[in-house]
Amino acid sequence: MASDGGSSSLQLPCVFSPKSRQYLAVCAQDGRLRIWNTDSKTINQEYVPSAHLSATCTCIAWGPCRTVKEGPQRKKRKSEAVQVEEKADLLAMGTAAGSVLLYSTAKGTLHCSLDEAHSAGVNCVHWHPEDSVLYSGSDDTNIVEWDLQSGKMRSKWKADRAAVTSLCVSPDGKLLLSAGHVIKMWDLDTKELYRKFTGHSTAVTTLRFATTRPPDSNGLYFVSGAAHDRLISVWQVREDGKDKNSVVSFTLTDEPRHVDLVPSNSKEEAVRLAVVCQDGQLHLFEHFLNGPCKKPFSPSCSVQMADTRESPMPIPMLAAVLGRDSRSVLLAYGNHLQPVIEQVEVNTTERHVCLSRDVKTSLSLTMESTVSKVKTPVVNTKSKVLVPGLPGHQAPLKGSHLEKASEKRKKDTKEMSIAEQLGEIDLSATSSEKVKASLQTDNYAVLLVQGLESNDADILNKVLQTRKEMVIKKTVARLPLSAVLPLVKELTNRLQGHPFAGILMVRWLKAVLMHHTSYLASLPDLVTELGVLYHMIESRVKMFHKLTKLHGKLYLLMTHVATSDSSNMVSEVDHTAKLVYEDESSDENEASGDEVLPEEDSDHWEEEEGMEEDKQSSEEEDEGNRTEPKANGEEDMEHENESEEE
């Protein structure tokens, strides 16, 4: 069976020992290493690193099983010679400070510490299957090869531009897989790059070799899993080098946390895989590796665990190990501080299996069977407890106060009803009030799930009318996978029925595609489920092109009309005189009366010009000259009137 390697720094390490599976090594939230005996279900050893708070344990890897001498023994005869059982002894731990600690389970103490090689936290450690060699990968982008006999660094090389998050050595000990975002295969003899595999967009957290065949026969396969990725990818190392893409993929319900694998030794033997996901489910796979396959494979059996309450709650699984047959699985479930270890027979003929367990009973029995050195002080009503604050401050600790505080805490943590949650949600995007602490994104996600299950239009309207981008993204990210498809269908219906609300619905749809694309791609009936949405988007995109053309034509037309209207608008002419000139010799004209003025004509002006030329004539001659043109003017006017009448 493949030995368990290091786990991601984002997760708490939990690893079974190889071969006999006698021990379970767990690093909990408090930074302590606890080694549980899988037979007695009790703590076998506990180790507290000196810097367990500042340099927490980030990864664990069990070393190869070896024979351990336990005290002086007499030399046995050949007839008494018994095959010595190999046991798991050394345990390598990577820390956030950049050091690697080796712990010996046989001695119960720290074996040695490997320091001064990494300048950043260690993300993964992996043992060489044969030699006493250990490999470690770090955030400083380097891989270090350690010689455990001398306790010193043997070699060091830069592996990637990004942090090295996973390592795995081939079964023959000649090749090393390392990964950040890109998976690289190294020749351990020359430390040169042998192959490169691309396909993951996030940090790779799991690497395992799936076959024991050499790479020159096109029969070497390995599997990989990445953070925030709901797939296990299988890669083939081909002799011709055309192996940049994965050949097979296995679908999961969440990102992989723990992977156990039984490798295949020949083409006729199937690879068995057990994957524990972030959501606490166990998925079992069995597949014959023989070249590429386009369609992703679903698990042959999925196992969930729940408690025995009236409304069952899921129990998360921490790790799983496959047995010799396909039905037996060794499970670790519960929490990291007090895991429950159980050998389970799984009915693999069923696609979904749910196991019910009473976790409280198991925990209480385990706690009674173990001997704890921690003593809880007994506090009575007369004792006084010093608390941080002013010097000499004493706070009386009474039972009644504790009860009141606990009751108040229970009241504060009481869940609100749906109506109260709906009433407190602020839907206005422009309001500058701070959102209350109780109304976090979790409430939106819970309300959205409840609205989708009950098909309540009020709840869905309240949640889906949110305009804040960050709230929409976090709500969609916290949605369970079972609610993703109903949400897409609801958004599709709203886009069809209410085109004006499409702006908000498109934001939700964008967030769903950003966070849950891998899950949607793994659905077998994806085309039928999203066919309506696809055709609607396609028709709207085609209509948008026509609307854009119409908008351009209307814009040109309206611009032309506006320009012509502005050119036709001419201001009216002002007929009032700007300047009036009065002649001094016009006094006599004024005396003649108003009757003469309207009968003057252009002939009068010509005679007046002639008068100006004969300035030496007398005033009497002037008067005579003025009366003659008047008479002539009247005759002219009469002739003109007769011509107009004719």
Side-chain angles (χ1 to χ4, degrees):
M1 228 182 249
S3 61
D4 294 295
S7 57
S8 172
S9 60
L10 300 175
Q11 303 160 358
L12 294 173
C14 180
V15 185
F16 282 98
S17 61
K19 290 189 177 180
S20 64
R21 311 297 182 185
Q22 184 181 1
Y23 300 115
L24 173 68
V26 181
C27 267
Q29 294 91 337
D30 55 1
R32 298 167 181 259
L33 171 68
R34 293 181 177 89
I35 299 176
W36 296 78
N37 193 317
T38 57
D39 297 329
S40 61
K41 312 295 190 296
T42 58
I43 293 180
N44 186 33
Q45 296 176 23
E46 184 175 4
Y47 172 68
V48 183
S50 58
H52 67 284
L53 295 179
S54 60
T56 56
C57 177
T58 55
C59 52
I60 296 177
W62 286 94
C65 295
R66 62 175 188 168
T67 56
V68 182
K69 295 181 180 180
E70 298 181 354
Q73 295 179 349
R74 68 179 181 86
K75 189 175 181 180
K76 296 182 180 181
R77 300 175 184 175
K78 291 184 179 180
S79 59
E80 296 178 355
V82 182
Q83 185 177 2
V84 180
E85 183 183 1
E86 293 184 343
K87 294 183 179 180
D89 178 24
L90 292 179
L91 184 69
M93 297 183 295
T95 64
S99 59
V100 179
L101 307 178
L102 294 184
Y103 180 81
S104 174
T105 56
K107 300 177 184 177
T109 57
L110 188 67
H111 181 70
C112 66
S113 178
L114 309 175
D115 303 319
E116 299 179 0
H118 291 296
S119 59
V122 178
N123 294 323
C124 48
V125 287
H126 202 282
W127 294 77
H128 194 280
E130 298 174 358
D131 301 333
S132 57
V133 176
L134 181 72
Y135 297 92
S136 61
S138 170
D139 282 335
D140 61 4
T141 71
N142 292 323
I143 298 176
V144 175
E145 184 182 50
W146 300 94
D147 186 356
L148 300 183
Q149 293 182 350
S150 62
K152 295 182 179 180
M153 179 178 65
R154 180 183 290 182
S155 61
K156 177 180 178 181
W157 70 96
K158 185 178 179 63
D160 205 335
R161 294 181 180 178
V164 181
T165 54
S166 188
L167 292 172
C168 187
V169 181
S170 62
D172 58 1
K174 295 181 180 179
L175 299 172
L176 172 69
L177 283 174
S178 71
H181 292 295
V182 179
I183 303 173
K184 295 182 178 181
M185 182 174 283
W186 305 88
D187 188 345
L188 288 179
D189 294 333
T190 61
K191 304 297 186 298
E192 293 180 356
L193 184 63
Y194 181 69
R195 292 286 166 80
K196 185 186 291 187
F197 306 88
T198 57
H200 289 290
S201 59
T202 54
V204 177
T205 56
T206 302
L207 286 174
R208 296 283 187 281
F209 276 94
T211 57
T212 56
R213 287 164 271 175
D216 54 1
S217 62
N218 291 341
L220 184 62
Y221 292 84
F222 67 90
V223 300
S224 66
H228 310 297
D229 197 356
R230 298 185 179 96
L231 287 174
I232 291 288
S233 301
V234 183
W235 309 78
Q236 183 182 16
V237 184
R238 296 176 57 88
E239 190 176 4
D240 54 7
K242 299 178 180 179
D243 47 16
K244 294 185 179 181
N245 298 321
S246 60
V247 292
V248 182
S249 59
F250 300 121
T251 60
L252 305 173
T253 55
D254 207 339
E255 65 175 279
R257 173 192 285 182
H258 183 277
V259 176
D260 186 65
L261 186 142
V262 179
S264 167
N265 298 318
S266 63
K267 291 184 178 180
E268 292 75 22
E269 186 179 357
V271 173
R272 293 167 53 208
L273 198 65
V275 183
V276 176
C277 295
Q278 190 75 28
D279 58 2
Q281 295 189 47
L282 169 65
H283 301 288
L284 303 177
F285 299 91
E286 190 168 352
H287 180 66
F288 291 92
L289 295 175
N290 190 14
C293 184
K294 295 182 179 180
K295 185 178 179 181
F297 288 96
S298 301
S300 58
C301 182
S302 297
V303 183
Q304 284 182 295
M305 194 164 285
D307 54 21
T308 55
R309 300 177 187 175
E310 294 181 359
S311 57
M313 296 294 291
I315 302 172
M317 297 189 195
L318 306 178
V321 172
L322 294 167
R324 293 182 179 178
D325 58 344
S326 60
R327 295 173 59 89
S328 62
V329 181
L330 182 61
L331 297 176
Y333 56 89
N335 57 58
H336 288 79
L337 294 173
Q338 187 78 24
V340 182
I341 304 167
E342 182 182 355
Q343 185 80 32
V344 179
E345 294 290 329
V346 180
N347 186 7
T348 54
T349 57
E350 297 182 6
R351 294 294 300 271
H352 299 279
V353 177
C354 185
L355 306 175
S356 60
R357 296 289 185 271
D358 190 358
V359 183
K360 291 185 177 179
T361 307
S362 303
L363 289 178
S364 61
L365 290 175
T366 310
M367 290 298 291
E368 289 174 3
S369 62
T370 57
V371 179
S372 177
K373 296 181 181 180
V374 180
K375 299 295 182 182
T376 305
V378 179
V379 181
N380 52 24
T381 56
K382 296 182 180 180
S383 62
K384 295 181 179 180
V385 181
L386 294 176
V387 298
L390 298 175
H393 175 70
Q394 294 179 345
L397 191 66
K398 297 182 180 180
S400 59
H401 290 190
L402 291 176
E403 292 176 1
K404 291 179 181 178
S406 63
E407 291 177 1
K408 185 178 180 182
R409 205 177 302 119
K410 288 180 181 178
K411 290 180 181 178
D412 293 341
T413 57
K414 185 179 179 181
E415 294 185 358
M416 293 188 296
S417 64
I418 299 178
E420 292 174 347
Q421 291 179 359
L422 284 174
E424 290 193 12
I425 291 182
D426 183 14
L427 297 176
S428 60
T430 57
S431 63
S432 59
E433 297 179 358
K434 294 183 179 179
V435 181
K436 296 182 179 180
S438 60
L439 292 175
Q440 297 174 347
T441 315
D442 295 335
N443 297 41
Y444 283 90
V446 172
L447 285 175
L448 185 55
V449 173
Q450 291 175 351
L452 292 172
E453 290 178 353
S454 61
N455 201 14
D456 193 331
D458 293 335
I459 298 178
L460 292 174
N461 289 336
K462 292 284 186 181
V463 177
L464 294 178
Q465 287 175 5
T466 306
R467 296 178 178 271
K468 298 178 181 178
E469 291 282 351
M470 191 57 64
V471 174
I472 293 174
K473 290 180 180 179
K474 290 185 178 180
T475 302
V476 172
R478 287 182 170 88
L479 272 184
L481 294 178
S482 58
V484 173
L485 204 55
L487 176 60
V488 174
K489 291 181 179 179
E490 179 65 27
L491 295 175
T492 305
N493 294 335
R494 288 174 177 260
L495 280 171
Q496 283 180 313
H498 306 281
F500 185 71
I503 299 174
L504 290 177
M505 298 306 108
V506 166
R507 292 181 184 177
W508 284 92
L509 196 60
K510 178 183 176 182
V512 170
L513 295 178
M514 285 175 62
H515 288 89
H516 301 288
T517 304
S518 57
Y519 167 69
L520 292 173
S522 64
L523 295 176
D525 53 348
L526 178 66
V527 178
T528 57
E529 293 289 350
L530 301 184
V532 178
L533 178 63
Y534 174 76
H535 289 301
M536 183 182 62
I537 293 176
E538 189 177 19
S539 63
R540 290 203 177 184
V541 169
K542 290 181 179 178
M543 184 61 68
F544 179 75
H545 185 62
K546 297 179 181 177
L547 288 174
T548 306
K549 285 186 174 180
L550 179 61
H551 178 266
K553 292 179 180 179
L554 288 175
Y555 179 76
L556 289 174
L557 185 61
M558 295 302 294
T559 307
H560 180 69
V561 170
T563 306
S564 61
D565 289 345
S566 62
S567 62
N568 291 333
M569 291 177 63
V570 181
S571 59
E572 296 182 359
V573 179
D574 190 4
H575 294 283
T576 58
K578 299 297 182 182
L579 180 65
V580 179
Y581 172 75
E582 294 182 358
D583 193 4
E584 294 178 356
S585 62
S586 62
D587 294 339
E588 295 181 359
N589 292 336
E590 291 178 2
S592 63
D594 296 332
E595 297 178 355
V596 181
L597 291 175
E599 295 177 356
E600 293 179 352
D601 200 78
S602 58
D603 297 336
H604 165 72
W605 296 108
E606 292 175 359
E607 292 296 329
E608 196 172 55
E609 290 176 359
M611 288 166 55
E612 289 176 359
E613 292 176 358
D614 299 331
K615 290 182 181 180
Q616 297 178 358
S617 60
S618 62
E619 292 180 359
E620 295 178 355
E621 291 177 353
D622 288 337
E623 290 178 358
N625 290 332
R626 286 179 185 176
T627 54
E628 288 178 1
K630 282 183 183 179
N632 295 332
E634 289 175 356
E635 292 176 358
D636 293 336
M637 287 292 292
E638 289 176 359
H639 288 298
E640 287 176 2
N641 292 334
E642 289 176 0
S643 63
E644 286 177 359
E645 288 175 359
E646 288 176 358

